[in-house]
């Protein structure tokens, strides 16, 4: 498919590019060092409509398509991957799940705050013993009159500490396996709900990743998201969208690494000439750009399928798989081109390399993407 961006998509891209490079980029390295949550960026992003991009205007969103979202998220990731992951989870997983599964009351109550940036959202699916296999989660939600009582621990929750609202999955009927998992909207401040251990990570250091602990946490029954037993389906549907978001982040970081590598190669001289003259290095740059373009096309294709309302599970996983592995190769090569300087904190490529490392892991490892892709292919391929 050949992509020709519409005037509106080009306008969104250029507006976010300008914001990202002027406002987000200058403080990104400092944030990486101090681990300071990008609260100020998010406030400004809310004003630009970046915190409810695909939510219809009636709930305060922009009603933009997924292609515009991919373009915007890539531009934010270009400058700061930590800010981008918060934007990605908030938009693709939290807002979209409430939009798709929420009641009218839930949409009015929560989406309007999420799109305005008055609430930042997180998603609690993973547990200490349930990562790639979320069906084996052990958090429980037991009905008690007009409430559910939630007990358990969630792990690796992006924005666990700095979010105001978390969609949490829990077992309401253990015997039903994946059909016995339900999802709940939990606001911070509920008794029995606290933030636990905060991870000290290799990358994405300004985005907090925490445990969430539920100790007899009483949640009003009206906060059930979807029907009882919808939780696994909700999580899988959310991850389809989320994976397009991770692919978009990969594209942004890879583009930043490629641009930095080209800049450096044009400035640096060795053996009496600019290193960009060496064919070995030019070929490296050509390979980086080619892989990046391939990832971009796959991601746009998955986004277009989503916009056309066709099933895009396989394409989202392909985009996430390819783009996340691509950015690890591209940031590695960007360091190689920088030589010893690339290994120091004086150059941004060092941060890009660390930030990108988790992209092949979170929202489903590369191995899980291959499971999803092969499952879908085998299901879709009819015997003659
Ligand atoms: N959309 C809708 N429904 C789906 C679906 C999808 N993409 N994928 C599966 N389902 C449904 C199936 O239709 C099936 O439903 P029925 O039985 O009612 O028909 C049900 O879910 C079970 O499907 P499977 O048998 O395929 O499920 P499985 O147990 O074999 O698991 C899996 C499949 C792909 C391995 C899945 O478990 C998976 O994606 N694992 C990875 C989880 C993951 O990505 N975790 C990251 C968490 S978030 C994070 O990283 C941090 C953060 O803060 C964002």
């Amino acid at each position: 498919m050949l992509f020709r961006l519409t005037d509106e998509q080009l306008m969104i891209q250029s507006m976010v590019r300008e914001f990202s490079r002027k406002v987000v980029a200058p403080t990104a390295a400092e944030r990486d060092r101090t681990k300071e949550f990008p609260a100020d960026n998010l406030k400004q992003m809310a004003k630009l409509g970046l915190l409810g991009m695909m939510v219809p205007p009636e709930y305060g969103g922009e009603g933009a398509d997924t292609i515009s979202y991919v373009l915007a998220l890539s531009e934010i990731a270009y400058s700061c991957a930590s800010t981008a992951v918060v934007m990605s989870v908030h938009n693709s997983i939290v807002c979209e799940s409430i939009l798709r599964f929420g009641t009218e009351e839930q949409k009015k109550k929560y989406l309007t705050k999420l799109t305005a940036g008055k609430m930042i959202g997180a998603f609690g699916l993973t547990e200490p013993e349930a990562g790639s296999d979320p069906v084996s989660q052990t958090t429980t939600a037991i009905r008690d009159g007009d409430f559910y009582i939630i007990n358990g621990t969630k792990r690796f929750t992006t924005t666990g500490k700095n979010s105001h609202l978390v969609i949490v999955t829990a077992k309401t009927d253990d015997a039903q396996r994946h059909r016995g998992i339900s999802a709940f909207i939990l606001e911070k401040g509920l008794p029995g709900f606290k933030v636990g251990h905060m991870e000290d990570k290799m990358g994405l250091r300004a985005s907090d990743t925490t445990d969430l602990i539920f100790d007899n946490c009483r949640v009003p029954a009206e906060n059930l998201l979807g029907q009882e037993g919808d939780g696994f389906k909700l999580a899988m549907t959310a991850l389809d969208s989320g994976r397009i978001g991770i692919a978009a982040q990969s594209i942004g970081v890879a583009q930043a690494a490629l641009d930095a590598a080209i800049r450096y190669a044009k400035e640096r001289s060795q053996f009496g000439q600019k290193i960009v003259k060496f064919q070995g290095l030019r070929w490296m740059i050509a390979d980086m750009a080619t892989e990046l373009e391939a990832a971009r096309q796959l991601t746009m294709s998955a986004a277009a399928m989503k916009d056309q309302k066709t099933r895009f599970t396989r394409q989202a996983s392909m985009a996430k798989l390819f783009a996340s592995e691509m950015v690890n190769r591209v940031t590695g090569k960007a360091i190689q081109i920088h030589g010893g300087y690339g290994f120091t904190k004086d150059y941004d490529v060092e941060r890009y390399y660390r930030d990108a490392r988790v992209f092949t892991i979170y929202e489903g490892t590369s191995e899980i993407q291959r499971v999803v892709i092969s499952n879908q292919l085998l299901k879709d391929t009819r015997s003659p």
Side-chain angles (χ1 to χ4, degrees):
M1 196 185 295
L2 186 63
F3 287 99
R4 202 159 152 214
L5 298 180
T6 63
D7 288 348
E8 194 186 341
Q9 289 161 348
L10 285 167
M11 198 191 70
I12 291 174
Q13 183 185 41
S14 120
M15 182 266 289
V16 183
R17 181 172 295 170
E18 195 187 337
F19 166 77
S20 176
R21 304 210 186 167
K22 269 198 194 145
V23 178
V24 181
T27 45
E30 175 69 0
R31 255 194 309 281
D32 172 63
R33 204 175 57 74
T34 60
K35 298 200 232 169
E36 188 184 335
F37 186 70
D40 286 346
N41 286 343
L42 292 164
K43 259 186 217 147
Q44 296 189 59
M45 285 161 68
K47 286 192 189 130
L48 295 176
L50 301 181
L51 296 190
M53 280 196 77
M54 292 169 290
V55 174
E58 62 201 277
Y59 305 115
E62 294 303 303
D65 58 12
T66 313
I67 291 191
S68 303
Y69 171 65
V70 164
L71 296 170
L73 187 53
S74 296
E75 289 300 335
I76 298 293
Y78 185 97
S79 302
C80 177
S82 291
T83 305
V85 70
V86 179
M87 172 179 170
S88 180
V89 171
H90 180 93
N91 276 278
S92 326
I93 297 197
V94 177
C95 289
E96 280 205 54
S97 296
I98 296 178
L99 189 61
R100 202 172 291 117
F101 287 87
T103 61
E104 193 53 33
E105 288 72 34
Q106 288 170 338
K107 289 183 204 175
K108 282 200 181 114
K109 181 169 178 191
Y110 295 114
L111 284 178
T112 47
K113 290 186 186 148
L114 288 161
T115 52
K118 289 184 182 146
M119 278 185 153
I120 298 294
F123 183 61
L125 173 71
T126 300
E127 297 185 359
E129 301 302 328
S132 291
D133 177 19
V135 176
S136 65
Q137 63 188 267
T138 55
T139 296
T140 53
I142 309 290
R143 181 95 192 212
D144 180 24
D146 289 341
F147 291 84
Y148 284 88
I149 301 175
I150 302 194
N151 279 291
T153 298
K154 293 291 173 184
R155 178 143 296 169
F156 298 142
T157 313
T158 302
T159 332
K161 176 167 173 266
N162 287 292
S163 56
H164 309 92
L165 171 158
V166 190
I167 296 178
V168 175
T169 59
K171 286 211 154 146
T172 38
D173 184 352
D174 199 24
Q176 296 290 319
R177 289 193 41 79
H178 66 271
R179 293 192 187 135
I181 295 173
S182 304
F184 300 87
I185 303 174
L186 267 71
E187 288 183 57
K188 287 280 180 63
L190 276 178
F193 174 9
K194 67 173 192 210
V195 176
H197 171 72
M198 189 160 153
E199 304 296 341
D200 188 8
K201 298 172 300 176
M202 165 182 181
L204 298 185
R205 290 173 63 78
S207 133
D208 56 288
T209 304
T210 74
D211 280 3
L212 298 176
I213 299 164
F214 305 100
D215 181 11
N216 286 323
C217 175
R218 286 173 75 80
V219 185
E222 67 202 30
N223 282 29
L224 176 71
L225 184 56
Q227 304 297 312
E228 259 196 30
D230 277 353
F232 187 73
K233 196 177 173 171
L234 179 147
M236 292 299 111
T237 312
L239 284 168
D240 283 348
S241 296
R243 287 164 185 165
I244 294 181
I246 307 304
Q249 287 174 58
S250 304
I251 292 166
V253 175
Q255 186 68 59
L258 175 62
D259 290 353
I262 292 174
R263 241 182 353 256
Y264 184 81
K266 282 181 172 172
E267 281 163 12
R268 170 84 170 163
S269 293
Q270 288 291 279
F271 301 101
Q273 60 178 347
K274 299 291 181 200
I275 62 170
V276 77
K277 299 264 186 212
F278 293 109
Q279 190 181 46
L281 201 140
R282 294 172 84 105
W283 284 13
M284 237 194 261
I285 288 173
D287 287 344
M288 290 158 81
T290 305
E291 283 200 76
L292 170 55
E293 186 56 25
R296 186 176 279 124
Q297 294 295 329
L298 261 181
T299 307
M300 293 297 244
S301 168
M305 286 183 73
K306 178 165 176 266
D307 287 337
Q308 285 155 17
K309 306 211 181 319
T310 32
R311 179 89 193 252
F312 62 96
T313 299
R314 174 160 58 99
Q315 285 73 13
S317 282
M318 285 176 163
K320 200 269 186 188
L321 170 64
F322 187 81
S324 64
E325 300 213 330
M326 172 281 296
V327 70
N328 274 276
R329 290 189 291 271
V330 166
T331 52
K333 282 182 181 149
I335 289 190
Q336 195 67 20
I337 289 170
H338 280 70
Y341 290 110
F343 194 58
T344 72
K345 293 203 181 286
D346 292 343
Y347 286 85
D348 286 336
V349 287
E350 182 266 351
R351 170 165 53 90
Y352 302 156
Y353 183 77
R354 284 186 290 104
D355 283 345
R357 187 60 194 91
V358 75
F359 294 176
T360 61
I361 298 171
Y362 67 10
E363 299 208 17
T365 60
S366 287
E367 293 67 37
I368 286 295
Q369 304 314 322
R370 290 181 172 99
V371 169
V372 174
I373 295 163
S374 56
N375 278 352
Q376 291 292 319
L377 270 173
L378 297 173
K379 219 189 282 173
D380 291 351
T381 309
R382 310 260 176 265
S383 14

